[in-house]
């Protein structure tokens, strides 16, 4: 009898050591219990006069006080429990933070590493969030977990946007129109209008441009970087393309156009910049040539004369040089709504402003 009991203990101990990854490959409550894959598995053996059972518990790696759990059970090899489950696997909801709009943001740093475990936790999380009355769910999946994307889409998540290194997906829970904000609708560009004391304008020829712009001498232009101010972007672009240091003066005008790159809209700001240096150093990567060109010669280019938008922009810039037009200056202000510093662009009629004497 002692030998048989020893054999039984050895059998269950062997099962406990090898069942960690196999145990949760079974299905229960419509959840793939692959939850034990990639998790710490604890097993215990006990035997009563009526039943022999093994309890296996999956323990996640995230802080237990932040997570909710549910236990699911299965029977193996016909063994039936007396009062408790013979085998159990504990699933936790995804670690997430509440947002100020009644939704939740899943913590991308605490996602599981295994796809089946993620699928199980995601389904459990959605059930829990629905019970809690959550609204919008934001799920940020890093590139190294890209295999999770089709799993999330299958559960009803939709693409929101993608950046280098991650994909953002969203899920709207209430049975009502989605109130989550859409992805960014605009791209923002800047151009620098730089004129020296010889009435020469700083111009460039780009290496890569549409056929209609071949041979055109144009203003240095570029796109604003993430978290970059408009005036800082204009100064940076001029420096990168021509090597000329400048100081921002005003936004002279801006253009708004729709359905350009990837059907996005485009904002393009023309900035008046004061040159602080004269020596040109061309960026050979994207610029074919750069030089100081007499303003009259710049204006005589056929493309400038033949395009109403280009012509109007240059007319405004010339009017600003003649102090018969005032642009928008940048002022740093702090709003009580978010407590953040912002750049507010506006025109001030001030006799002390020697740069603009427009009547």
């Amino acid at each position: 009898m002692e030998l048989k009991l020893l054999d039984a203990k050895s059998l269950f101990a062997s099962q406990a050591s090898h069942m960690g990854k196999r145990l949760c490959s079974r299905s229960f409550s419509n959840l793939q219990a692959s939850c034990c894959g990639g998790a710490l598995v604890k097993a215990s053996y006990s035997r009563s006069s009526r039943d022999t059972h093994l309890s296996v518990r999956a323990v996640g790696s995230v802080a237990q006080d932040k997570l909710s759990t549910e236990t699911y059970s299965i029977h193996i090899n016909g063994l039936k429990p007396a009062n408790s489950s013979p085998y159990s696997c504990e699933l936790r909801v995804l670690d997430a933070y509440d947002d100020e709009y009644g939704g939740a943001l899943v913590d991308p740093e605490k996602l599981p590493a295994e796809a089946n475990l993620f699928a199980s936790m995601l389904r459990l999380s959605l059930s829990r969030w629905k019970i809690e009355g959550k609204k919008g769910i934001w799920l940020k999946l890093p590139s190294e977990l890209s295999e999770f994307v089709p799993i999330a889409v299958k559960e009803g998540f939709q693409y929101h946007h993608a950046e280098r290194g991650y994909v953002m997906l969203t899920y709207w829970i209430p049975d009502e129109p989605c109130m989550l904000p859409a992805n960014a609708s605009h791209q923002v560009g800047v151009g620098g209008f730089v004129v020296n004391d010889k009435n020469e304008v700083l111009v460039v020829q780009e290496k890569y441009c549409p056929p209609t712009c071949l041979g055109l001498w144009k203003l240095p232009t570029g796109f604003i970087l993430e978290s970059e101010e408009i005036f800082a972007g204009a100064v940076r672009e001029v420096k990168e393309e021509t090597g000329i240091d400048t100081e921002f003066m005003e936004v002279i005008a801006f253009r708004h156009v729709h359905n350009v790159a990837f059907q996005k809209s485009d904002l393009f700001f023309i900035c008046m910049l004061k040159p602080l240096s004269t020596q040109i150093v061309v960026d050979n990567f994207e610029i074919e040539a750069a030089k100081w060109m007499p303003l009259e010669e710049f204006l005589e280019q056929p493309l400038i004369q033949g395009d109403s938008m280009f012509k109007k922009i240059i007319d405004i810039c010339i009017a600003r040089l003649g102090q018969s037009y005032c642009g928008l200056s940048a002022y740093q202000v702090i709003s009580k709504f978010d407590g953040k510093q912002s750049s507010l662009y506006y025109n001030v009629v001030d006799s002390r402003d020697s740069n603009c004497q427009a009547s």
Side-chain angles (χ1 to χ4, degrees), residues 187-193 204 206 218-225 228-230 232-241 255 266-271 273 286-287:
Q187 62 183 17
V188 181
V190 288
F193 186 71
V204 299
E206 295 181 339
K218 58 182 285 293
L219 304 180
T221 61
F223 289 106
I224 293 292
L225 302 178
E228 185 178 44
E229 299 283 355
I230 292 172
V235 171
R236 175 187 53 78
E237 282 292 341
V238 169
K239 176 67 174 179
E240 288 179 355
E241 293 188 359
R255 180 211 63 184
D266 181 273
L267 286 168
F268 182 71
F269 292 85
I270 304 296
C271 300
L273 305 177
E286 58 177 331
I287 300 300

Side-chain angles (χ1 to χ4, degrees), residues 106-118:
V106 177
D107 189 345
E109 301 296 327
K110 294 183 179 179
L111 291 170
E114 200 271 331
N116 289 333
L117 175 56
F118 170 74

Side-chain angles (χ1 to χ4, degrees), residues 82-98:
N83 299 315
S84 61
S85 302
Y87 299 95
S88 64
C89 183
E90 204 168 86
L91 282 178
R92 289 169 169 78
V93 297
L94 295 169
D95 193 67
Y97 303 94
D98 294 339

